[in-house]
Amino acid sequence: MNWIRNLKLRQKFAWMTWLALAAAALPAALAIHGAWSNVQELRTERRALVPSQVLLKAVRTTQEHRGLTNTVMNGGDELEPKRRDKQTALTEQLQQVGVTLHEAGFDALNKEFDEINQTWQALSKAVADHHITAPESVKRHTALVTDRKSTRLN
């Protein structure tokens, strides 16, 4: 400790400055890292807004199609044109979901989305060809919306 006493005042202040900077560097670095992580997370969330909006619209259309299909299958034949229009709209919306996922950089989710889209294609074909009962249709439409893959995309 004698060496500290032998330092000039200017040198003592220089040492204290370096010690203070060293003591503050780690907490400052951790704070900056935390802030940067938050910024990155917010950017990812912002990128996900458009695909989420399109997906939620497709979910709503799926539910509307489920209701129309159930009505048509239970004798409401006058709603068949409206049901077909919803089916076409839903197919287009699901294609748009895939495009927006790709544009937003969520290519990892495209595989899961492709499985959802294939499930929809099979369901829409079964409905259009009248190869499905009304209860089975409701069950499969509901499963399409509540599937783990669908909720992961949301």
Side-chain angles (χ1 to χ4, degrees):
M1 290 283 196
N2 276 341
W3 66 274
I4 294 177
R5 287 187 193 146
N6 294 335
L7 292 175
K8 295 180 183 175
L9 187 59
R10 179 176 51 101
Q11 292 171 325
K12 289 178 183 176
F13 275 111
W15 271 101
M16 287 184 357
T17 302
W18 280 111
L19 288 174
L21 287 174
L26 181 62
L30 291 174
I32 290 170
H33 182 273
W36 182 251
S37 295
N38 288 342
V39 167
Q40 293 300 91
E41 187 175 323
L42 289 172
R43 286 181 180 165
T44 301
E45 288 177 6
R46 195 171 104 215
R47 278 190 2 238
L49 284 177
V50 172
S52 294
Q53 290 168 341
V54 175
L55 182 62
L56 288 174
K57 187 175 180 182
V59 167
R60 184 179 69 232
T61 305
T62 302
Q63 293 168 335
E64 292 168 353
H65 184 264
R66 174 183 59 197
L68 287 169
T69 300
N70 191 40
T71 301
V72 169
M73 289 181 160
N74 286 310
D77 294 330
E78 68 279 358
L79 293 177
E80 177 62 23
K82 191 172 181 180
R83 186 208 61 79
R84 277 194 309 267
D85 291 344
K86 281 291 180 199
Q87 182 171 328
T88 301
L90 181 54
T91 299
E92 291 170 1
Q93 288 171 357
L94 289 175
Q95 289 172 349
Q96 186 64 30
V97 170
V99 169
T100 58
L101 281 173
H102 178 72
E103 288 174 351
F106 294 108
D107 292 327
L109 294 176
N110 270 335
K111 182 181 179 204
E112 291 181 36
F113 174 71
D114 286 343
E115 292 175 21
I116 294 167
N117 203 16
Q118 289 171 1
T119 303
W120 163 247
Q121 293 301 327
L123 174 58
S124 64
K125 182 168 176 28
V127 168
D129 295 342
H130 303 288
H131 292 152
I132 190 171
T133 64
E136 180 66 19
S137 170
V138 169
K139 181 179 174 184
R140 287 176 61 183
H141 275 88
T142 302
L144 186 66
V145 172
T146 60
D147 187 306
R148 267 184 77 198
K149 293 176 198 77
S150 297
T151 55
R152 177 165 150 64
L153 290 175
N154 277 333

